[in-house]
Amino acid sequence: MAFPKPSPKRLSNLLKPFRSQTRNYAAPGEGNIPPSKAQYVPSSGTYPKGFLCASAHVGVKASNTRFDDLALIASETPCSAAAVFTQNRFQAAPVTVSREMIRKRGGDGIRAVVVNSGCANAVTGKGGIEDAEKMGKQTDRCFGAAESEDSQTVVMSTGVIGQRLPIQKILNKIPAAYSSLAATHDAWLKAARAICTTDTFPKLLSRPFTLSSAPGTTYHLAGLTKGAGMIHPNMATLLGIVCTDAPISPAAIAPLLSSAIERSFNSISIDGDTSTNDTVALLANGAAGGAEITSEASPAYDEFKTVLTDFAADLAKLVVRDGEGATKFVTIRVKNAPSYAAGKRIGSSIARSPLVKTALYGKDANWGRILCATGYTDGLPAGTIVPEQTSVSFIPSDGSEKLNLLVRGEPEKVDEERAKQILEMEDLEIEVKLREQEGGEEAVYWTCDFSHEYVTINGDYRT
């Protein structure tokens, strides 16, 4: 059967949506930072004393002929260290190796983190474990460690699952990275860029802070992270390295990191997928001096926990801002919940709903989808959600008046033009109040929208 040929005008109209789907992400090997994301790349920083960074080009992926894909972050002196890892049952070789290394050392005497991008070294069997161990031992040798010593290096990898590393190429470049270690902003930024995969920009933050236990002393935090897809607790393909020159004991550092992660990297979602490689490590070398934080009873413990949590949250937000194909940064604030855990469950349910995320991309104020995701949230105590008491609003990022969508279970007459204006903004907050009266706990979750580009990126990720 013959079909009529469409007119040139009709054909042009049919193709128009596809022409507008330009890629705004930097696929591996391209390295272009979209203008809208350049504002998140720091031009300077203040970094912790005694920490150094470097990067090198290995060419882990054959298509990467130009960009550094090996990063080394090191301390001039041994550190206290802790790390949190993915809960995916298929855990990558570097996750297994690094967890065991930290356990054996009791979080003490750790010198470095070595990271490769381009290959995850995940689901690679015994050979993958050996490769991860070799990366750690080669780094140890650079610091003069004896062959018989337990490793002092956290190993991380990110990239394609199910492929072996070009391990000899990596081992050959680790000494070159070591020889170029530096404390400069440029060195930190290059290291942050070297761990990227589908990220469109390097994610780096640094921050000074003080503690009441050490008047007159300025401490520093610095962190680099990567992630743009396969992001969801617990954890989220996400890597993070945070360093501080504050003195923290091996006994105190693990609970401090776990607490910070709960309200930062474990409170974000891009696509609902939890990776095989997720790792966030915290290293503290005490180079700035002062009284050591040894336990929850230490005077500065709660102060540092707050500083670290806020810092980790800001790092995690950069991951969401770089969500694959994302056009929106969305804060979900659940108020007046019976517990933080219950509020967080609801926030997570909304954040991973494809229908909510596609409506946001389409600038459609379809608040019924938000209510639906709230209502099907699993694991909530009885009485957490009472439809007649639930309210939903959009909070504009420009500081203008919020737009009520549902108030105590009753739908509002929505000004669609006003809603569209709010949804045109890059940043948006969704507020869900479980009770009108103030009280209870508040949970905050961060997510992004789903666009055509997300499918494009992940449809050709391996190629």
Side-chain angles (χ1 to χ4, degrees):
M1 179 179 177
F3 291 93
K5 185 177 179 180
S7 68
K9 183 177 180 180
R10 175 163 171 73
L11 185 61
S12 178
N13 288 336
L14 287 170
L15 293 176
K16 190 180 295 183
F18 298 96
R19 293 195 192 102
S20 67
Q21 292 172 29
T22 56
R23 293 188 179 200
N24 294 316
Y25 72 98
E30 292 177 6
N32 303 314
I33 299 175
S36 63
K37 302 296 177 70
Q39 62 182 306
Y40 303 115
V41 181
S43 58
S44 63
T46 55
Y47 297 98
K49 295 178 181 177
F51 280 100
L52 309 168
C53 286
S55 63
H57 175 256
V58 175
V60 173
K61 286 187 84 169
S63 59
N64 175 19
T65 60
R66 294 189 294 149
F67 298 102
D68 287 358
D69 50 2
L70 179 73
L72 181 61
I73 300 93
S75 173
E76 294 175 335
T77 57
C79 297
S80 300
V84 291
F85 301 96
T86 181
Q87 294 182 21
N88 192 308
R89 290 179 180 85
F90 286 95
Q91 298 192 346
V95 168
T96 300
V97 169
S98 295
R99 178 188 283 115
E100 179 62 12
M101 183 276 294
I102 291 173
R103 185 195 66 78
K104 287 178 72 173
R105 298 196 71 92
D108 193 21
I110 292 164
R111 290 295 298 272
V113 181
V114 63
V115 191
N116 77 270
S117 62
C119 176
N121 191 12
V123 198
T124 46
K126 293 180 180 178
I129 295 289
E130 293 170 0
D131 289 345
E133 290 174 340
K134 288 176 181 177
M135 285 177 64
K137 293 302 287 185
Q138 180 75 321
T139 306
D140 296 336
R141 291 188 193 99
C142 294
F143 292 96
E147 289 294 323
S148 58
E149 277 188 70
D150 290 333
S151 182
Q152 301 173 299
T153 302
V154 176
V155 180
M156 300 182 187
S157 298
T158 183
V160 177
I161 295 170
Q163 296 181 4
R164 288 288 297 275
L165 292 170
I167 189 60
Q168 197 54 52
K169 291 171 68 176
I170 292 173
L171 298 181
N172 290 344
K173 285 300 180 79
I174 288 175
Y178 174 81
S179 67
S180 63
L181 283 168
T184 63
H185 170 72
D186 189 52
W188 280 89
L189 192 59
K190 284 182 177 179
R193 174 65 185 86
I195 68 176
C196 291
T197 50
T198 57
D199 306 62
T200 67
F201 66 94
K203 299 165 185 64
L204 172 66
L205 288 179
S206 62
R207 183 170 299 167
F209 65 96
T210 58
L211 298 172
S212 60
S213 59
T217 300
T218 299
Y219 296 107
H220 301 85
L221 276 166
L224 50 153
T225 188
K226 64 83 48 185
M230 201 177 277
I231 305 290
H232 189 74
N234 286 302
M235 288 220 319
T237 305
L238 184 152
L239 303 179
I241 304 104
V242 179
C243 304
T244 183
D245 49 17
I248 305 169
S249 73
I253 197 167
L256 281 165
L257 178 61
S258 294
S259 177
I261 292 298
E262 177 66 14
R263 294 175 184 250
S264 58
F265 288 103
N266 273 351
S267 291
I268 62 174
S269 183
I270 287 175
D271 48 22
D273 274 328
T274 299
S275 167
T276 55
N277 289 59
D278 309 328
T279 305
V280 176
L282 171 63
L283 283 70
N285 64 9
E292 187 176 51
I293 298 172
T294 58
S295 70
E296 291 186 20
S298 297
Y301 184 93
D302 287 337
E303 285 180 73
F304 181 75
K305 182 170 73 171
T306 298
V307 170
L308 179 63
T309 301
D310 290 345
F311 184 79
D314 287 343
L315 265 182
K317 290 175 194 176
L318 291 178
V319 173
V320 176
R321 288 195 179 279
D322 203 19
E324 288 174 342
T327 67
K328 298 259 184 300
F329 175 83
V330 184
T331 300
I332 301 168
R333 192 177 304 275
V334 181
K335 304 178 75 171
N336 305 335
S339 66
Y340 172 76
K344 184 177 176 182
R345 277 183 175 272
I346 293 169
S348 175
S349 183
I350 297 167
R352 68 175 184 268
S353 165
L355 291 178
V356 171
K357 295 160 82 70
T358 50
L360 292 170
Y361 173 65
K363 304 177 182 63
D364 180 8
N366 195 339
W367 54 267
R369 294 179 176 181
I370 299 169
L371 260 294
C372 184
T374 300
Y376 64 57
T377 304
D378 290 330
L380 296 176
T384 297
I385 297 174
V386 179
E388 295 79 12
Q389 297 182 23
T390 304
S391 300
V392 177
S393 304
F394 285 160
I395 313 293
S397 59
D398 62 1
S400 59
E401 187 177 355
K402 72 179 180 180
L403 179 66
N404 292 324
L405 306 168
L406 183 80
V407 177
R408 294 188 294 278
E410 293 291 333
E412 295 288 288
K413 183 174 176 57
V414 177
D415 181 342
E416 294 293 342
E417 187 59 35
R418 170 73 174 137
K420 184 178 180 181
Q421 290 172 358
I422 293 172
L423 290 170
E424 289 280 356
M425 302 175 193
E426 180 181 345
D427 287 24
L428 168 70
E429 180 174 318
I430 297 171
E431 179 187 86
V432 178
K433 294 175 73 172
L434 301 182
R435 302 286 186 277
E436 196 60 32
Q437 65 272 25
E438 295 302 321
E441 297 290 329
E442 178 176 297
V444 182
Y445 216 90
W446 297 282
T447 191
C448 57
D449 57 346
F450 263 162
S451 72
H452 302 287
E453 282 188 6
Y454 180 84
V455 178
T456 302
I457 294 165
N458 286 284
D460 66 7
Y461 180 70
R462 290 207 309 162
T463 53

Coordinates of all heavy atoms in Angstrom, one line a residue, residues 390-451:
T390 N -3.2 16.8 54.0 CA -2.0 17.0 53.2 C -2.1 18.2 52.2 O -3.2 18.5 51.6 CB -1.8 15.7 52.3 OG1 -1.7 14.6 53.2 CG2 -0.5 15.8 51.5
S391 N -1.0 19.0 52.1 CA -0.9 20.1 51.3 C 0.3 20.0 50.4 O 1.3 19.5 50.8 CB -0.9 21.4 52.1 OG -2.0 21.6 52.9
V392 N 0.2 20.6 49.2 CA 1.3 20.6 48.2 C 1.4 21.9 47.6 O 0.4 22.5 47.2 CB 1.1 19.5 47.1 CG1 2.3 19.6 46.1 CG2 1.0 18.1 47.7
S393 N 2.7 22.4 47.5 CA 2.9 23.8 46.9 C 4.2 23.7 46.1 O 5.1 22.9 46.3 CB 3.0 24.8 48.0 OG 1.9 24.9 48.8
F394 N 4.3 24.6 45.1 CA 5.5 25.0 44.4 C 6.1 26.2 45.1 O 5.4 27.2 45.2 CB 5.3 25.2 42.9 CG 5.0 24.0 42.1 CD1 4.4 24.1 40.9 CD2 5.4 22.7 42.5 CE1 4.1 23.0 40.1 CE2 5.1 21.6 41.7 CZ 4.5 21.8 40.5
I395 N 7.4 26.2 45.4 CA 8.1 27.3 45.9 C 9.0 27.9 44.9 O 10.0 27.2 44.5 CB 8.9 27.0 47.2 CG1 8.1 26.1 48.2 CG2 9.5 28.2 47.8 CD1 6.9 26.9 48.8
P396 N 8.8 29.0 44.3 CA 9.6 29.6 43.2 C 11.0 29.9 43.8 O 11.2 30.3 44.9 CB 8.9 30.8 42.8 CG 7.5 30.7 43.3 CD 7.6 29.9 44.6
S397 N 12.0 29.8 42.9 CA 13.4 30.1 43.3 C 13.7 31.5 43.3 O 14.7 32.0 43.8 CB 14.4 29.3 42.4 OG 14.2 29.7 41.0
D398 N 12.8 32.4 42.8 CA 13.1 33.8 42.7 C 12.6 34.6 43.9 O 12.6 35.8 44.0 CB 12.4 34.4 41.4 CG 10.9 34.3 41.4 OD1 10.3 33.8 42.4 OD2 10.3 34.7 40.4
G399 N 12.1 33.8 44.9 CA 11.6 34.5 46.2 C 10.2 35.0 46.1 O 9.7 35.5 47.1
S400 N 9.5 34.8 45.0 CA 8.1 35.3 44.9 C 7.2 34.3 45.7 O 7.6 33.2 46.2 CB 7.7 35.4 43.5 OG 7.8 34.1 42.8
E401 N 6.0 34.7 45.8 CA 5.0 33.9 46.6 C 4.8 32.5 46.1 O 4.8 32.2 44.9 CB 3.6 34.7 46.6 CG 2.6 34.1 47.5 CD 1.3 34.9 47.5 OE1 1.3 35.9 46.8 OE2 0.3 34.4 48.1
K402 N 4.7 31.6 47.0 CA 4.5 30.2 46.6 C 3.2 30.0 46.0 O 2.2 30.7 46.2 CB 4.7 29.3 47.8 CG 3.6 29.3 48.9 CD 3.9 28.3 50.0 CE 2.8 28.2 51.0 NZ 3.1 27.2 52.1
L403 N 3.1 28.9 45.2 CA 1.9 28.5 44.5 C 1.2 27.3 45.1 O 1.8 26.2 45.1 CB 2.1 28.3 43.0 CG 0.9 27.9 42.2 CD1 -0.1 29.0 42.1 CD2 1.4 27.4 40.8
N404 N 0.1 27.5 45.8 CA -0.6 26.4 46.5 C -1.3 25.5 45.4 O -2.0 26.1 44.6 CB -1.6 26.9 47.5 CG -0.8 27.5 48.7 OD1 0.2 27.0 49.1 ND2 -1.4 28.5 49.3
L405 N -1.1 24.2 45.5 CA -1.8 23.3 44.5 C -2.8 22.5 45.2 O -3.9 22.2 44.7 CB -0.7 22.4 43.9 CG 0.5 23.1 43.3 CD1 1.6 22.1 42.9 CD2 0.0 23.8 42.0
L406 N -2.6 22.1 46.5 CA -3.5 21.4 47.3 C -3.4 21.9 48.7 O -2.3 22.0 49.2 CB -3.2 19.9 47.2 CG -4.1 18.9 47.9 CD1 -5.4 18.6 47.1 CD2 -3.4 17.6 48.3
V407 N -4.5 22.2 49.3 CA -4.5 22.7 50.7 C -5.4 21.8 51.6 O -6.6 21.8 51.3 CB -4.9 24.1 50.8 CG1 -4.9 24.6 52.2 CG2 -3.9 25.0 50.0
R408 N -4.9 21.1 52.5 CA -5.6 20.2 53.4 C -6.6 19.3 52.6 O -7.8 19.2 52.9 CB -6.4 21.0 54.4 CG -5.5 21.8 55.4 CD -6.3 22.4 56.6 NE -7.2 23.5 56.1 CZ -6.8 24.7 55.8 NH1 -5.5 25.1 56.0 NH2 -7.6 25.6 55.4
G409 N -6.0 18.7 51.6 CA -6.8 17.7 50.8 C -7.7 18.3 49.8 O -8.3 17.6 49.0
E410 N -7.8 19.6 49.7 CA -8.7 20.3 48.8 C -7.9 20.9 47.6 O -7.0 21.7 47.9 CB -9.5 21.4 49.5 CG -10.5 20.8 50.5 CD -11.7 20.0 49.8 OE1 -12.0 20.3 48.6 OE2 -12.2 19.1 50.5
P411 N -8.2 20.6 46.4 CA -7.5 21.2 45.3 C -7.7 22.7 45.1 O -8.9 23.1 45.3 CB -8.0 20.4 44.0 CG -9.3 19.9 44.5 CD -9.3 19.7 45.9
E412 N -6.7 23.4 44.8 CA -6.8 24.9 44.6 C -7.1 25.1 43.1 O -6.7 24.3 42.3 CB -5.5 25.6 45.0 CG -5.2 25.5 46.5 CD -6.1 26.4 47.3 OE1 -5.9 27.6 47.2 OE2 -7.0 25.8 48.0
K413 N -7.6 26.3 42.8 CA -7.8 26.7 41.4 C -6.4 27.2 41.0 O -6.0 28.3 41.4 CB -8.8 27.8 41.3 CG -9.1 28.2 39.8 CD -10.2 29.1 39.7 CE -10.4 29.6 38.3 NZ -10.6 28.5 37.3
V414 N -5.7 26.4 40.2 CA -4.3 26.7 39.8 C -4.3 27.7 38.7 O -4.9 27.5 37.6 CB -3.6 25.4 39.5 CG1 -2.1 25.8 39.1 CG2 -3.5 24.5 40.7
D415 N -3.5 28.7 38.8 CA -3.2 29.7 37.7 C -2.1 29.0 36.9 O -1.0 29.0 37.2 CB -2.7 31.0 38.3 CG -2.4 32.0 37.3 OD1 -2.2 31.7 36.1 OD2 -2.3 33.2 37.6
E416 N -2.6 28.4 35.7 CA -1.7 27.7 34.9 C -0.5 28.5 34.3 O 0.6 28.0 34.1 CB -2.4 27.0 33.8 CG -3.4 25.9 34.2 CD -2.8 24.7 34.8 OE1 -1.5 24.5 34.6 OE2 -3.4 23.9 35.5
E417 N -0.8 29.8 34.1 CA 0.2 30.7 33.5 C 1.3 30.9 34.6 O 2.5 30.9 34.3 CB -0.4 32.0 33.1 CG 0.6 32.9 32.4 CD 1.2 32.3 31.1 OE1 0.6 31.5 30.4 OE2 2.4 32.6 30.9
R418 N 0.9 31.1 35.8 CA 1.8 31.3 36.9 C 2.6 30.0 37.2 O 3.8 30.1 37.4 CB 1.0 31.7 38.2 CG 1.8 31.6 39.5 CD 2.8 32.8 39.6 NE 3.4 32.9 40.9 CZ 4.7 33.1 41.1 NH1 5.5 33.3 40.0 NH2 5.2 33.1 42.3
A419 N 1.9 28.9 37.1 CA 2.6 27.6 37.3 C 3.7 27.4 36.2 O 4.8 26.9 36.5 CB 1.6 26.4 37.2
K420 N 3.4 27.8 35.0 CA 4.3 27.6 33.9 C 5.5 28.5 34.1 O 6.7 28.1 33.8 CB 3.6 28.0 32.5 CG 4.6 27.7 31.3 CD 3.8 28.0 30.0 CE 4.8 27.8 28.9 NZ 4.1 28.1 27.6
Q421 N 5.3 29.7 34.6 CA 6.4 30.6 34.9 C 7.4 30.0 35.9 O 8.6 30.1 35.8 CB 5.9 32.0 35.4 CG 5.2 32.8 34.3 CD 4.5 34.0 34.9 OE1 4.5 34.2 36.1 NE2 3.9 34.8 34.1
I422 N 6.8 29.4 36.9 CA 7.6 28.8 38.0 C 8.4 27.6 37.4 O 9.6 27.4 37.7 CB 6.7 28.3 39.2 CG1 6.1 29.5 39.9 CG2 7.5 27.5 40.1 CD1 5.1 29.2 40.9
L423 N 7.7 26.8 36.6 CA 8.4 25.6 36.0 C 9.4 25.9 34.9 O 10.2 25.1 34.5 CB 7.3 24.7 35.5 CG 6.5 24.0 36.6 CD1 5.3 23.3 36.0 CD2 7.3 23.0 37.4
E424 N 9.4 27.2 34.4 CA 10.4 27.6 33.5 C 11.7 27.8 34.2 O 12.8 27.8 33.5 CB 10.0 28.9 32.8 CG 8.8 28.8 31.8 CD 9.3 28.3 30.5 OE1 10.5 28.1 30.3 OE2 8.4 28.1 29.6
M425 N 11.7 28.0 35.5 CA 13.0 28.3 36.2 C 13.8 27.0 36.4 O 13.2 25.9 36.4 CB 12.6 28.9 37.6 CG 11.9 30.1 37.6 SD 11.4 30.7 39.3 CE 10.2 32.0 38.9
E426 N 15.1 27.2 36.4 CA 16.0 26.0 36.5 C 15.8 25.3 37.9 O 15.8 24.1 38.0 CB 17.4 26.4 36.3 CG 18.4 25.2 36.5 CD 19.9 25.6 36.3 OE1 20.1 26.8 35.8 OE2 20.7 24.9 36.6
D427 N 15.6 26.1 39.0 CA 15.5 25.6 40.3 C 14.0 25.7 40.8 O 13.3 26.7 40.5 CB 16.3 26.4 41.3 CG 17.8 26.2 41.2 OD1 18.2 25.7 40.1 OD2 18.6 26.4 42.1
L428 N 13.6 24.7 41.5 CA 12.2 24.6 41.9 C 12.2 23.8 43.2 O 12.9 22.8 43.4 CB 11.4 23.8 40.9 CG 10.0 23.4 41.3 CD1 9.1 24.6 41.5 CD2 9.4 22.4 40.3
E429 N 11.3 24.2 44.1 CA 11.1 23.5 45.4 C 9.6 23.0 45.4 O 8.7 23.7 45.2 CB 11.4 24.3 46.6 CG 11.2 23.6 47.9 CD 11.6 24.4 49.1 OE1 12.7 25.0 49.1 OE2 10.8 24.3 50.1
I430 N 9.5 21.7 45.7 CA 8.2 21.1 45.9 C 8.0 20.9 47.4 O 8.8 20.3 48.1 CB 8.0 19.7 45.2 CG1 8.2 19.9 43.7 CG2 6.7 19.1 45.6 CD1 8.2 18.6 43.0
E431 N 7.0 21.5 48.0 CA 6.7 21.4 49.4 C 5.5 20.5 49.7 O 4.5 20.8 49.1 CB 6.5 22.8 50.1 CG 6.2 22.8 51.6 CD 5.8 24.1 52.1 OE1 4.6 24.5 52.0 OE2 6.7 24.9 52.5
V432 N 5.7 19.5 50.5 CA 4.6 18.6 50.9 C 4.5 18.7 52.4 O 5.4 18.4 53.2 CB 4.9 17.2 50.5 CG1 3.8 16.2 51.0 CG2 5.1 17.0 49.0
K433 N 3.3 19.2 52.8 CA 3.1 19.3 54.3 C 2.1 18.2 54.7 O 1.0 18.2 54.1 CB 2.5 20.7 54.6 CG 3.4 21.9 54.4 CD 2.8 23.2 54.6 CE 2.5 23.5 56.1 NZ 2.1 24.9 56.3
L434 N 2.5 17.4 55.6 CA 1.7 16.2 56.0 C 0.6 16.6 57.0 O -0.4 16.0 57.1 CB 2.5 15.1 56.5 CG 3.6 14.5 55.6 CD1 4.3 13.4 56.2 CD2 2.9 14.1 54.3
R435 N 0.9 17.7 57.7 CA -0.1 18.3 58.6 C 0.0 19.8 58.4 O 1.0 20.4 58.2 CB 0.3 18.0 60.1 CG 0.3 16.5 60.4 CD -1.0 15.8 60.4 NE -0.9 14.4 60.9 CZ -0.6 13.4 60.1 NH1 -0.4 13.7 58.8 NH2 -0.6 12.2 60.5
E436 N -1.1 20.5 58.6 CA -1.1 21.9 58.5 C -0.5 22.6 59.7 O 0.2 23.6 59.6 CB -2.6 22.5 58.3 CG -2.6 23.9 57.8 CD -1.9 24.1 56.5 OE1 -1.9 23.1 55.6 OE2 -1.4 25.2 56.2
Q437 N -0.7 22.0 60.9 CA -0.1 22.5 62.1 C 1.4 22.2 62.1 O 1.8 21.1 61.7 CB -0.8 22.0 63.4 CG -0.6 20.5 63.6 CD -1.7 19.6 62.9 OE1 -2.3 20.1 61.9 NE2 -1.9 18.5 63.5
E438 N 2.2 23.2 62.5 CA 3.6 23.0 62.6 C 4.0 22.0 63.7 O 3.4 21.9 64.7 CB 4.3 24.4 62.8 CG 4.1 25.3 61.6 CD 4.6 24.8 60.3 OE1 5.7 24.2 60.3 OE2 3.9 25.1 59.3
G439 N 5.1 21.3 63.4 CA 5.6 20.3 64.4 C 6.1 19.1 63.6 O 6.0 19.0 62.4
G440 N 6.7 18.2 64.3 CA 7.3 17.0 63.7 C 8.6 17.3 63.1 O 9.3 18.3 63.4
E441 N 9.0 16.4 62.1 CA 10.3 16.5 61.5 C 10.2 16.9 60.0 O 9.2 16.8 59.4 CB 11.0 15.1 61.5 CG 11.3 14.6 62.9 CD 12.4 15.4 63.6 OE1 13.3 15.9 62.9 OE2 12.3 15.5 64.9
E442 N 11.3 17.5 59.6 CA 11.4 17.9 58.1 C 12.5 17.1 57.5 O 13.6 16.9 58.0 CB 11.7 19.4 58.1 CG 11.9 19.9 56.7 CD 12.1 21.4 56.6 OE1 11.2 22.2 57.0 OE2 13.2 21.9 56.2
A443 N 12.2 16.7 56.3 CA 13.2 15.9 55.5 C 13.4 16.6 54.1 O 12.4 17.0 53.5 CB 12.8 14.5 55.3
V444 N 14.6 16.7 53.6 CA 14.9 17.4 52.3 C 15.5 16.4 51.4 O 16.5 15.6 51.8 CB 15.8 18.6 52.5 CG1 16.0 19.3 51.2 CG2 15.1 19.6 53.5
Y445 N 15.1 16.3 50.2 CA 15.6 15.4 49.2 C 15.8 16.2 47.9 O 15.1 17.2 47.6 CB 14.5 14.3 48.9 CG 15.1 12.9 48.6 CD1 15.3 12.0 49.7 CD2 15.4 12.6 47.3 CE1 15.8 10.8 49.4 CE2 15.9 11.3 47.1 CZ 16.1 10.4 48.1 OH 16.6 9.2 47.9
W446 N 16.8 15.8 47.1 CA 17.1 16.6 45.9 C 17.1 15.6 44.7 O 17.6 14.5 44.7 CB 18.5 17.2 46.0 CG 18.6 18.2 47.1 CD1 18.2 19.5 47.1 CD2 19.2 18.0 48.4 NE1 18.4 20.1 48.3 CE2 19.1 19.3 49.1 CE3 19.8 17.0 49.0 CZ2 19.5 19.4 50.4 CZ3 20.3 17.1 50.3 CH2 20.1 18.4 51.0
T447 N 16.5 16.1 43.6 CA 16.4 15.3 42.4 C 16.4 16.3 41.2 O 16.6 17.5 41.3 CB 15.1 14.4 42.4 OG1 15.2 13.5 41.4 CG2 13.9 15.3 42.3
C448 N 16.1 15.7 40.0 CA 16.1 16.5 38.8 C 15.0 15.9 37.9 O 14.3 14.9 38.3 CB 17.4 16.4 38.1 SG 18.0 14.7 37.7
D449 N 14.8 16.4 36.7 CA 13.8 16.0 35.8 C 14.4 14.9 34.9 O 15.6 14.6 34.9 CB 13.2 17.1 35.0 CG 14.2 17.9 34.2 OD1 15.4 17.7 34.5 OD2 13.9 18.7 33.4
F450 N 13.5 14.3 34.1 CA 13.8 13.3 33.1 C 13.6 14.0 31.7 O 12.5 14.4 31.4 CB 13.0 12.1 33.1 CG 13.6 10.9 33.9 CD1 12.8 9.9 34.3 CD2 14.9 10.8 34.1 CE1 13.3 8.8 35.0 CE2 15.5 9.7 34.8 CZ 14.6 8.7 35.2
S451 N 14.6 14.0 30.8 CA 14.5 14.6 29.5 C 14.8 13.5 28.4 O 15.2 12.4 28.7 CB 15.4 15.7 29.4 OG 16.8 15.2 29.3

